[in-house]
Amino acid sequence: MAATEPESRMTVRRPQRADARRNFDALLAAAREAFAADGSGASLEGIARRAGVNIATLYRNFPTRQHLFEAAYLDEVQTLARIAADLDHLDPWAALESWLRQFVSYATTKKAVYDAIAHNEAMFVSGREIIHAAGRPLLERAQRAGAARADVTFDDVLFLVNGVSGANFVQEAQRDRVLTMALDGIRARA
């Protein structure tokens, strides 16, 4: 019950009209890209341009930069939870690996907005609960299948993957190689 409770409190409220919802989603996607590339100081005008809307549309949806930071964070957490739920069709190791690769992308955005919304501790605590509720079952499933090491906890996995995502890699390919090495450390030995 506790793991699903924060999800109901933490939601990104999308507009009802289809055109407004498209603009909202385009702004969130553009914000994630801009924050990942330029950090929390990314230009709001640049985000609006990247989304293909005018700055007034951005402010109508997100009255302040803070609202945009929080919505981007919440949207990423909710996306991670949805992705985890949609991985049942994969074998246990592939599901865990796929989700952890998505997590690295999320962590890149989170790193950019962390300082900007650090004052909202309740949001991070709820987000962490949602992430645990989404990812822990993937690890446990991989462990039951003998694909992941039995001595690894989900917190261990998060520390490892956060370490990879927190590094300043020169190229995305380098980050992927290092992540693959980290995942090899989680995988059970034959």
Side-chain angles (χ1 to χ4, degrees):
M1 173 86 177
T4 58
E5 192 175 300
E7 190 168 12
S8 65
R9 290 191 317 251
M10 278 187 40
T11 59
V12 175
R13 301 203 191 288
R14 287 176 164 71
Q16 295 297 312
R17 279 190 4 245
D19 61 331
R21 195 169 42 253
R22 275 190 303 274
N23 288 342
F24 184 92
D25 290 341
L27 283 164
L28 279 180
R32 281 193 304 270
E33 291 170 11
F35 295 149
D38 304 325
S40 61
S43 160
L44 295 181
E45 291 82 6
I47 291 171
R49 223 178 1 265
R50 190 182 291 219
V53 301
N54 62 41
I55 193 70
T57 300
L58 183 144
Y59 282 117
R60 187 170 36 259
N61 284 284
F62 308 102
T64 67
R65 181 179 288 270
Q66 191 69 27
H67 286 101
L68 185 57
F69 288 143
E70 291 176 5
Y73 173 74
L74 293 175
D75 189 57
E76 286 289 309
V77 168
Q78 291 167 350
T79 298
L80 278 173
R82 279 191 304 274
I83 288 169
D86 292 341
L87 294 173
D88 283 345
H89 68 283
L90 296 177
D91 74 72
W93 178 258
L96 177 63
E97 180 179 9
S98 177
W99 189 79
L100 289 172
R101 289 187 183 281
Q102 286 294 133
F103 184 87
V104 168
S105 296
Y106 147 79
T108 302
T109 302
K110 178 186 167 203
K111 184 171 69 169
V113 299
Y114 179 79
D115 291 334
I117 59 176
H119 71 278
N120 193 340
E121 186 177 331
M123 179 181 296
F124 277 116
V125 169
S126 295
R128 183 172 171 80
E129 289 173 0
I130 291 170
I131 288 167
H132 273 256
R136 184 182 295 119
L138 294 172
L139 174 64
E140 290 169 351
R141 183 174 159 233
Q143 288 171 322
R144 282 191 305 274
R149 290 172 43 174
D151 64 335
V152 172
T153 69
F154 188 67
D155 280 333
D156 296 338
V157 171
L158 286 183
F159 281 122
L160 184 66
V161 175
N162 276 325
V164 171
S165 61
N168 294 319
F169 293 105
V170 176
Q171 297 173 329
E172 194 170 317
Q174 182 184 32
R175 182 195 70 195
D176 291 342
R177 282 191 310 276
V178 172
L179 177 58
T180 298
M181 290 185 294
L183 291 173
D184 284 345
I186 298 169
R187 188 186 287 266
R189 302 275 185 254

